[in-house]
Structure formats: structure tokens, C-alpha cells
Amino acid sequence: MKKGINAWCFPQNYSLEECIKKAKIAGYDGIEINMTEFNKSKSVIDDLKLGENYGLTIESSEKEIKEILNISKDVGISIVGISTSLHWVYSLTSEDNAIRQKGIDIVKKMIDTAVLLETDAVLVVPGIVNETVSYKDAYNKSLKALKELRVKAEENKVYIGIENVWNKFLLSPIEMRNFIEEIGSPYVKSYFDVGNVMAFSYPEYWIEILSDYIIRVHVKDFDTSIGNIKGFKNIFQGDVDWIKVMKTLYKVKYDGYITAELSPYSIMPDFLVFDTSRHLDALLNLNSVINK
């Protein structure tokens, strides 16, 4: 497995170039970059106090995107993939056709950008169930959108990784696996987030069932005694059984990136990146404990 870090982990005043350089200094193999837009509506990213920067937007030109690639190559670090918070705003299950279409167009832009950045994965929130969007409607709309998007993914050989998030949708690993299989594409898989399932399940069981459908892994911890959005913690500070998690990842032969997605410290925010690098080293070194 390889060590990755999401650009949200860096202070908000960092440029994307600074994030890339700092990630290399801190010992990461790759950095995950986030696509955003100027003047975006408030979303879960703001609630989590993640450090959004504007190095990559839905308006970025091919020249600007290639400049990001050149920086990463000069620094000597890979691009893990592309994430975004925009699907909390432009949901693939929205009742508004224009909003839903913009969500689809954002995925297409992410795929084109992934090709330019020489990476092969984009993270997608598959939709949201709420007071006005029923589970049934969300399922059908999301399925329709992702069946359309699978064509773009296949043409460009870029994986769409569906992330398990707090969207009241796809709430079990069996349902997630069945949903992916119903889409029916080798380029639509799972972007599994360890911390996100802790409020209602156990990550090792999800890993076992999703197995070879997992193309990327996000890591963060979660304090179940808090049980809400404030329960997300740094690695080893919550209730995730990391030995079970890593043992199951080895069992299913996962060999991709484990990418930290955490909020910067409120004081001395730079330190999170270096502390997390050591935490990921410890996770990868658990192999020696697991195999005893």
C-alpha cells in the first residue's frame, strides 16, 4: 500500500503548489487533489473545517491542469486521484434537473482532469436522500446518472470511486456492492472511507464484502461516544480497530493508496500533515503484528 494525503488536510491559506511540496517533505507517496468552484455554497467541507484551496476548479483550463502535473513531477510525488465536495451542492439525486445535470458534468470534468494529471481515479458522492428526495428516487436517479457516466469512465480508463458518506444512502456494504454491480462497469467501483462507517457499522466488514471493488481508501478515526460530525478524529484517537482494518485490507489483497482525509489543527495546522505521515507509517507497519 502507499501513503496518500488529501489537500484538505493542509491549511486553507496554502496554495496547491505548497500542499504538493509539503506532502513530499512529509514523506507521502501521493496527494489527492480536490476540485471546487469559486463562491461555492456551504457544504459538509465547511462543517468539518477542511482546508479548501482553489488550485483546481471546474473552470481550470487544460494549461492550468498541466501546470499542476508539472509541479507534482518536479517535486516527485504522484496524484492519488481527484475528490470534490461539489456533489453535496450539485447532487446526482437532486429534484432539480439542472442541478443534477451540473453534478454529472462535474464528474465528466473530473475524469478529463484525471487524464491530464495522469491519475486513474475520481471520487464521487452518489447522491443524497433527504426530506424531499426519497430513497427510491435517489436510487433510480443515481443509477441512471452513473450508468451514463460509466461510458466516459470506460473511454478514458478512469475509475469512478463511489464513496460511502453520511448521505442516508447505500447504507450497507451489501447494498453498495449490489449497486456497483447493477451499474455494470469495470470502471465504477468503491472509494471506501474507513471512518465514515463507524457511526453505524464496522469498516472491516465493509472491506470484506466490497473486496476487489475497492480502488482507493480514505482513513480517519471516529469517536463513537460523540457520534456526530464532531466525532471524526485523527488516526488512533477514536474507536476504529486498525489492526482488524489492516488485516482485512491485506486479506482482500488491497495494494493501493490509503489516503488521510482530516481537518487541519486549529493551532499550528501544519503539524497535522507530519503527524499523520507517522500514523500512516504505523498503519503500514502493522503487517508485522498481523502476521505473527
Side-chain angles (χ1 to χ4, degrees):
M1 299 182 211
K2 298 177 182 179
K3 290 168 50 180
I5 188 164
N6 186 287
W8 281 323
C9 298
F10 295 83
Q12 192 165 359
N13 63 350
Y14 268 38
S15 68
L16 186 52
E17 182 174 358
E18 287 175 305
C19 294
I20 292 170
K21 289 180 177 178
K22 188 73 75 171
K24 177 64 176 180
I25 293 169
Y28 293 90
D29 300 304
I31 182 169
E32 184 175 68
I33 296 174
N34 307 298
M35 180 172 285
T36 188
E37 68 175 347
F38 292 106
N39 303 315
K40 75 172 180 62
S41 301
K42 184 178 179 181
S43 74
V44 68
I45 297 307
D46 304 282
D47 295 333
L48 290 169
K49 298 180 180 179
L50 297 176
E52 189 87 270
N53 62 58
Y54 294 94
L56 178 65
T57 73
I58 56 177
E59 295 88 8
S60 292
S61 66
E62 181 174 329
K63 179 181 178 182
E64 290 169 331
I65 295 167
K66 286 184 176 180
E67 286 175 0
I68 296 171
L69 177 64
N70 291 336
I71 291 169
S72 69
K73 286 188 172 182
D74 289 343
V75 170
I77 192 169
S78 298
I79 307 297
V80 172
I82 302 170
S83 177
T84 187
S85 65
L86 292 177
H87 287 123
W88 290 101
V89 180
Y90 306 108
S91 172
L92 297 181
T93 59
S94 173
E95 296 172 290
D96 187 313
N97 290 337
I99 290 176
R100 196 164 63 250
Q101 185 58 52
K102 184 161 183 178
I104 290 171
D105 291 341
I106 288 168
V107 180
K108 291 178 179 178
K109 173 72 173 183
M110 293 171 74
I111 291 171
D112 288 336
T113 302
V115 173
L116 293 173
L117 291 177
E118 298 181 5
T119 188
D120 67 349
V122 300
L123 183 154
V124 174
V125 172
I128 301 168
V129 172
N130 55 32
E131 295 88 346
T132 58
V133 178
S134 73
Y135 209 107
K136 180 180 179 181
D137 285 346
Y139 195 98
N140 291 334
K141 287 175 180 175
S142 181
L143 187 64
K144 181 180 179 182
L146 287 161
K147 281 187 173 181
E148 175 185 336
L149 287 165
R150 72 183 182 187
V151 178
K152 177 84 170 178
E154 290 166 1
E155 288 174 349
N156 291 276
K157 294 182 170 54
V158 172
Y159 292 99
I160 292 174
I162 300 173
E163 188 181 30
N164 53 294
V165 295
W166 287 13
N167 56 351
K168 303 183 186 298
F169 183 47
L170 303 177
L171 295 174
S172 82
I174 293 174
E175 184 183 8
M176 177 70 84
R177 185 178 180 105
N178 289 346
F179 184 74
I180 291 170
E181 289 177 344
E182 194 169 353
I183 295 166
S185 171
Y187 281 94
V188 180
K189 295 196 175 186
S190 165
Y191 201 127
F192 180 66
D193 189 301
V194 171
N196 280 351
V197 303
M198 284 294 293
F200 53 86
S201 190
Y202 300 89
E204 58 270 23
Y205 301 153
W206 281 66
I207 295 167
E208 181 179 45
I209 289 170
L210 292 175
S211 186
D212 55 338
Y213 283 111
I214 299 173
I215 54 153
R216 296 286 192 278
V217 173
H218 265 167
V219 289
K220 53 180 173 278
D221 220 319
F222 186 76
D223 186 334
T224 55
S225 69
I226 298 175
N228 57 38
I229 201 166
K230 295 182 179 179
F232 290 114
K233 300 292 181 182
N234 298 340
I235 297 165
F236 304 132
Q237 293 185 351
D239 295 309
V240 173
D241 188 328
W242 290 106
I243 291 179
K244 286 183 178 179
V245 166
M246 296 306 292
K247 184 175 183 179
T248 312
L249 284 172
Y250 284 119
K251 181 180 177 181
V252 301
K253 295 181 171 57
Y254 177 76
D255 62 356
Y257 279 96
I258 53 171
T259 301
E261 185 194 46
L262 299 159
S263 304
Y265 297 149
S266 56
I267 299 173
M268 304 298 285
D270 308 62
F271 284 17
L272 172 84
V273 175
F274 291 92
D275 290 347
T276 301
S277 180
R278 291 191 290 269
H279 295 160
L280 292 179
D281 285 338
L283 280 183
L284 294 176
N285 289 332
L286 282 176
N287 191 29
S288 60
V289 177
I290 291 167
N291 290 328
K292 281 186 178 179

